[in-house]
Structures are given as structure tokens and as C-alpha cells.
Amino acid sequence: MSAAVRAARTSNARILSSLKPSPNVVVVGGTSGIGRGIALSIAQHCPSANITIVGRNESAANAILSQLGSNPKFIRADVSLMSEIRAATKKISAVDMLILTQGILTMAGRTPTTENIDNKLALHYYGRVLFVQELLPLLRSSQNGSKVLFVLDGVNGNPSKINWNDMALENTYSLSSAANHALSFTDLVIHYLASQQENTNITFTHAFPGVVRTPIADNLPFWARLPIKCGLALGLGVSPEDCAEFMIYGMLGTDKGSRCINDKGETVTKKSPIQEEMVAKVWEHTSHMITLK
Ligand SMILES: NC(=O)c1ccc[n+]([C@@H]2O[C@H](COP(=O)([O-])OP(=O)(O)OC[C@H]3O[C@@H](n4cnc5c(N)ncnc54)[C@H](OP(=O)(O)O)[C@@H]3O)[C@@H](O)[C@H]2O)c1
């Protein structure tokens, strides 16, 4: 374990083990990879935490539930669908930490769900905001202040590349535009959410996990998977366990408002300045997309 991981781990253990009352933690995407690593790490540092993981893979969930502290729960949901997110959030009665790691790696073009939102954008962006929106009353009433962590890419968002004429990318979808919309919208939406007077009890963090050795590339075609597998075999990337410590460290270190963090959990400083007009447009568009689906 590197000195940086050790330092993050020590700090996380100190903070999490001293939390009273025990935190209620929801990890969406907790059945695999980074989310799984975060859920397991929180359980190690704070065995009395009430941890709920959300995903589709019941057997993967069952394989770790016994390691998730004293009150583990699994909520089965396809979180590419806003209707399933509404149903899933109704099963949650308290939340102090909401961790959003659901995602896929695919080279497919626009793939609309039955709700006519692109599958990848639903996972990486719209559904995550809906989780926050639905859980806001619980997040606001958290006794010690609540934390929301978006694990996507808090480093590379670029609002100048947003297509303001086709924000949902219904007509101009490409892999790069989908990636940039999800990253940049997340940067702007956490700013919006943190700026609301009712949300001063909540901090919002958008994290870049770096290259992490998870199964996310397993569904890519062979030719696209091969170079990734070779890189990982040669030592590229970090383990989900190490990544989890940095992500938790960054989340706990956001004192108020919102911030973007890098793969070591440190604040990203080189970001283009946020323009309030863009923030308002993104919020209006997002509300429209997630409402009544
Ligand atoms: N790994 C990396 O190097 C890397 C780098 C940059 C960014 N990221 C981002 O980090 C996030 C986590 O990635 P990861 O590497 O941990 O991926 P992963 O190991 O493949 O885990 C993805 C998680 O998302 C859940 N998920 C996917 N589709 C779902 C659906 N329709 N409904 C419910 N849950 C769904 C999966 O749960 P079920 O299988 O149970 O449905 C799983 O728990 C992703 O957003 C990814 O884009 C990863």
C-alpha cells in the first residue's frame, strides 16, 4: 500500500469510526468495482454504519452483504429507468452519505431506454440527479450534515463543448459528446444544488477515480477490450480498494458547498469558471428530463 493510500485510509478510519449516530450510507452501483470498494471500506472503518447497496446483480450483492456491517441491505433496481429510481428511493428511510457510482463502458451509439433517455446518460447523469432529488428531504435532515459523491470525472468536464441546442443529444449523439455532457452537467449541477439555501446541510463532490482495475470494460468488443486488459496486466491503474479510500477521503474532506476532486481526493483547481447562466440552463433541462418519467 502506498503512503498516500495509507494516509487517506487512516484519515477515513478516524473520521468514520467516530461518527455518532452511525451513518446511513447508500451506494448506488455498490455491487461491483469502485462502488463495491467504497461500501466495503466504509463497513471496515465503521462497522455500525447502516449500508444499503443498489444495483441489479443480486448474486454479486449477496456475496458482499455479510461484510457490510451490522445492518446491510440490497435494493434491486435498474437505475437507467427514472421510474425504478423513484420506486427504489421510496425504500430508503434515512441517508447521510449518498454515493453514486452506477455506470457502463460501451461504444454503442445513442441507446434509448423505454423512457427515451440514452442508457449511458441515464446512468451517468440523469438518474444520479434524480436519486439526489428524491432523497433531498432525508439528506437535508441528516444530523451531522450529509455528503453526496458523484464518481465519474471531476477533472475533464468542459462546458464550452456542451451542445446547448441538443442538450439530451437526441440528434447529435457521439461517444465524446455523451461523455462531455455527463461530466460537464455534473460539474454544473453540483454547483446548482449546493447553492440552494435549503441544501446548506449537504456537501456535493464530483470525483475522478482515475484508471481503476474493475470489470467495467468486460462488455466491450474483444478488439477494444484487449489493449485495456494488456494495460491492466502491465500494472496500469489502481485497485478498487485503493481508489475507494481516495474517493471517501475526498468526499469527507468537502466541508461545505461543492467541489471537484481528482483521483487522490484532492481539489481540482484548473477548471473553467462556472457561469450562472449555464448552471440555470442545465438545471432547467435536467428537471425537465427527470420529471414525470
Ligand atoms: N474503472 C475506471 O477506470 C473508471 C474510470 C473513470 C470513471 N469511471 C466511472 O466510475 C463509475 C464506476 O465504474 P466501475 O469501474 O466501478 O464499474 P463497474 O465495476 O462495472 O460497476 C458498475 C456498477 O454500476 C451498476 N450498474 C450498471 N448499470 C446499471 C443499471 N442499469 N442499473 C443498476 N445498476 C447498474 C452495476 O451494478 P449491477 O451490475 O448490479 O447492475 C455496478 O455496480 C462509472 O460511472 C464509470 O464510468 C470508472
Side-chain angles (χ1 to χ4, degrees), residues 27-41 53 57 60 64 99 101-103 151 209 212-218 238-245 247:
V27 186
V28 188
T31 53
S32 176
I34 300 166
R36 180 179 183 276
I38 291 175
L40 286 167
S41 166
I53 56 172
N57 188 334
I64 61 160
I99 293 142
T101 69
Q102 64 268 46
V151 177
V212 190
R213 295 192 287 271
T214 72
I216 196 162
D218 287 0
V238 300
S239 69
E241 292 76 21
D242 286 359
C243 171
E245 296 300 338
M247 298 294 97

Side-chain angles (χ1 to χ4, degrees), residues 28 34-35 38 99-105 120-129 149-157 177-190 205-212 216 243 247 259-263 271:
V28 188
I34 300 166
I38 291 175
I99 293 142
L100 300 156
T101 69
Q102 64 268 46
I104 49 169
L105 189 58
K120 193 196 266 184
L121 288 172
L123 288 167
H124 289 180
Y125 178 66
Y126 297 108
R128 292 171 175 218
V129 181
L149 174 66
F150 292 75
V151 177
L152 191 61
D153 183 346
V155 171
N156 293 301
S177 62
N180 189 58
H181 274 215
L183 315 186
S184 304
F185 285 6
T186 303
D187 287 350
L188 296 168
V189 93
I190 61 169
T205 307
H206 179 195
F208 174 59
V211 177
V212 190
I216 196 162
C243 171
M247 298 294 97
R259 69 172 180 152
C260 291
I261 60 166
N262 66 15
D263 57 349
K271 305 271 299 183

Side-chain angles (χ1 to χ4, degrees), residues 12-25 42 45-46 48-49 96-97 144-145 147 252:
N12 295 339
R14 185 178 49 78
I15 296 171
L16 290 169
S17 63
S18 65
L19 286 179
K20 283 197 181 53
S22 303
N24 300 291
V25 180
I42 293 176
H45 296 317
C46 183
S48 60
D96 305 291
M97 294 178 198
N144 295 319
K147 307 276 184 196
L252 296 175

Side-chain angles (χ1 to χ4, degrees), residues 67-282:
Q67 300 163 65
L68 295 184
S70 48
N71 189 18
K73 255 175 75 178
F74 171 56
I75 298 177
R76 194 180 183 291
D78 178 345
V79 300
S80 67
L81 294 172
M82 305 304 124
S83 52
E84 291 220 8
I85 294 172
R86 287 183 210 284
T89 49
K90 288 196 173 60
K91 297 177 186 161
I92 297 168
S93 54
V95 57
D96 305 291
M97 294 178 198
L98 172 62
I99 293 142
L100 300 156
T101 69
Q102 64 268 46
I104 49 169
L105 189 58
T106 168
M107 304 188 75
R110 184 171 187 271
T111 307
T113 64
T114 51
E115 297 173 340
N116 196 27
I117 300 180
D118 169 63
N119 185 45
K120 193 196 266 184
L121 288 172
L123 288 167
H124 289 180
Y125 178 66
Y126 297 108
R128 292 171 175 218
V129 181
L130 184 58
F131 262 101
V132 177
Q133 170 139 306
E134 294 292 294
L135 294 173
L136 270 179
L138 300 177
L139 291 162
R140 286 173 182 153
S141 60
S142 165
Q143 218 165 303
N144 295 319
S146 57
K147 307 276 184 196
V148 178
L149 174 66
F150 292 75
V151 177
L152 191 61
D153 183 346
V155 171
N156 293 301
N158 184 351
S160 72
K161 290 192 188 157
I162 292 173
N163 183 345
W164 298 102
N165 298 319
D166 183 19
M167 292 178 75
L169 298 176
E170 285 175 3
N171 305 309
T172 54
Y173 191 96
S174 69
L175 292 181
S176 64
S177 62
N180 189 58
H181 274 215
L183 315 186
S184 304
F185 285 6
T186 303
D187 287 350
L188 296 168
V189 93
I190 61 169
H191 180 84
Y192 172 83
L193 289 164
S195 71
Q196 300 304 294
Q197 189 58 37
E198 313 90 291
N199 296 342
T200 46
N201 193 37
I202 315 172
T203 68
F204 298 89
T205 307
H206 179 195
F208 174 59
V211 177
V212 190
R213 295 192 287 271
T214 72
I216 196 162
D218 287 0
N219 291 325
L220 287 178
F222 178 72
W223 57 266
R225 204 168 63 232
L226 188 64
I228 298 175
K229 289 284 169 196
C230 289
L232 296 180
L234 291 170
L236 184 75
V238 300
S239 69
E241 292 76 21
D242 286 359
C243 171
E245 296 300 338
F246 289 127
M247 298 294 97
I248 296 168
Y249 176 73
M251 172 183 75
L252 296 175
T254 305
D255 285 336
K256 58 178 176 11
S258 66
R259 69 172 180 152
C260 291
I261 60 166
N262 66 15
D263 57 349
K264 298 286 183 294
E266 303 154 338
T267 305
V268 180
T269 47
K270 284 190 189 140
K271 305 271 299 183
S272 36
I274 286 190
Q275 294 177 19
E276 294 303 329
E277 190 194 337
M278 291 180 175
V279 173
K281 271 192 196 162
V282 164

Side-chain angles (χ1 to χ4, degrees), residues 55-67:
R56 294 164 304 178
N57 188 334
E58 194 150 8
S59 56
N62 287 336
I64 61 160
L65 277 185
S66 65
Q67 300 163 65

